[in-house]
Amino acid sequence: QRVQALVWLFLLCLPGSMARIKVACVGDSVTMGTRCGDGIITYPAHLQTLLGDKFEVRNFGKGGATVQRDGMCRDGKKEICTDKDCAYHKLPQAKESMEWAPDVVTFMFGVNDCNDCNWKGPEKGEEAIVKDYLQLIDDYKSLMSS
């Protein structure tokens, strides 16, 4: 493992002839940057600044998205649940991020999974979120191993 870490560090230090490392930021409105006013940057944009030119960070966030595979959208203005499907794995952003074939993926979900439309109670809710989070991680891991 130390050899792998040293090889990885060496590769990161190579001159710019090497392809940039692709980082996909997937998640809900926290990732997307909903309600970010002028001059406020999203966490993916901030991450790009921190990582520098050897990385390419893209924002694949979608407001209202859930990690739960049966997640429903909530109409914030009317404070009601809708019949619209907000499960991230079914949204265009998921497909786009997977087609981009990232090297690294960050995940930010949970806000919408815990609202009154999707929360299934302390035991079932936690179990559903963990199960579906692990499934989404596996979906991305399978891209990286192929």
Side-chain angles (χ1 to χ4, degrees):
Q1 287 180 340
R2 287 183 185 175
V3 171
Q4 285 178 329
L6 289 173
V7 169
W8 180 245
L9 183 60
F10 173 76
L11 290 174
L12 287 177
C13 295
L14 287 176
S17 63
M18 197 174 136
R20 292 172 24 167
I21 296 167
K22 299 191 294 186
V23 180
C25 298
V26 303
D28 54 26
S29 60
V30 175
T31 302
M32 182 179 150
T34 300
R35 298 186 182 150
C36 282
D38 291 339
I40 298 179
I41 62 171
T42 62
Y43 94 76
H46 188 63
L47 184 60
Q48 177 66 69
T49 301
L50 292 172
L51 293 175
D53 293 339
K54 292 182 182 176
F55 294 82
E56 180 180 359
V57 179
R58 288 195 188 171
N59 187 337
F60 294 99
K62 174 64 177 158
T66 67
V67 74
Q68 292 181 75
R69 295 192 172 251
D70 62 351
M72 301 305 291
C73 292
R74 185 170 189 261
D75 184 328
K77 292 179 184 165
K78 296 179 184 175
E79 297 296 323
I80 60 169
C81 302
T82 68
D83 59 357
K84 185 177 175 191
D85 193 346
C86 277
Y88 188 82
H89 79 284
K90 296 177 184 175
L91 298 175
Q93 289 80 356
K95 183 178 185 222
E96 292 165 11
S97 67
M98 290 183 182
E99 287 174 350
W100 188 52
D103 301 303
V104 177
V105 181
T106 67
F107 298 90
M108 176 49 231
F109 292 99
V111 173
N112 302 302
D113 293 283
C114 295
N115 71 27
D116 57 346
C117 298
N118 296 307
W119 184 243
K120 297 168 179 68
E123 289 182 27
K124 285 186 176 180
E126 183 179 333
E127 183 180 311
I129 292 171
V130 169
K131 179 178 79 65
D132 290 341
Y133 234 125
L134 292 173
Q135 180 60 56
L136 189 62
I137 291 167
D138 283 345
D139 292 345
Y140 283 93
K141 281 172 61 176
S142 69
L143 289 174
M144 295 173 185
S145 63
S146 55

